Amino acid sequence: MRPEALTLIAQRFKVLGDPVRLQILQVLHDGERSVSQVIDAVAVAQSSVSKHLKVLQEAGFVGRRQTGTIVHYRITDPLVWDLCDAVCKGLQIRLATQAHLLGELPH
């Protein structure tokens, strides 16, 4: 791969490297939510949620729709779930292996 492509890939991983952003994505997993619904669900300050939503939007993971004064967000890149599933599966395997190895240690 070209260095430019690797930079773009790294930037997408960086966006997903924040626990609050992952929490926001979880909230949006079941469908569109207003900003206030996202704030209530993640229990983080409004300014922080707005900042994270902007980062997710700029990365193309979420989209926004405004109705009057209410802004709604939704997932626009459903492939984010494939990536999250792959990471979670890898983590499960790693933790299971570590637990197995720890179980074999003498007490």
Side-chain angles (χ1 to χ4, degrees):
M1 272 191 191
R2 296 180 61 191
E4 297 84 4
L6 294 173
T7 298
L8 290 173
I9 292 167
Q11 287 171 345
R12 288 186 63 87
F13 276 110
K14 184 178 178 182
V15 169
L16 295 175
D18 186 286
V20 174
R21 290 188 200 123
L22 293 175
Q23 227 180 335
I24 290 170
L25 290 172
Q26 275 188 313
V27 170
L28 299 175
H29 184 268
D30 294 328
E32 186 177 82
R33 300 283 183 264
S34 70
V35 174
S36 62
Q37 289 173 313
V38 174
I39 292 166
D40 290 344
V42 298
V44 174
Q46 183 271 330
S47 60
S48 181
V49 169
S50 293
K51 178 187 80 169
H52 288 298
L53 284 166
K54 181 177 180 183
V55 170
L56 289 166
Q57 181 182 7
E58 289 173 351
F61 290 115
V62 302
R64 63 176 278 178
R65 174 180 68 83
Q66 188 162 352
T67 307
T69 60
I70 300 174
V71 177
H72 295 84
Y73 282 87
R74 69 193 176 289
I75 300 294
T76 54
D77 184 353
L79 294 178
V80 71
W81 304 124
D82 295 338
L83 181 57
C84 288
D85 288 344
V87 170
C88 289
K89 180 69 172 175
L91 185 57
Q92 286 174 335
I93 292 168
R94 180 176 176 213
L95 293 175
T97 301
Q98 288 176 342
H100 176 76
L101 293 174
L102 287 174
E104 292 179 357
L105 291 176
H107 296 287

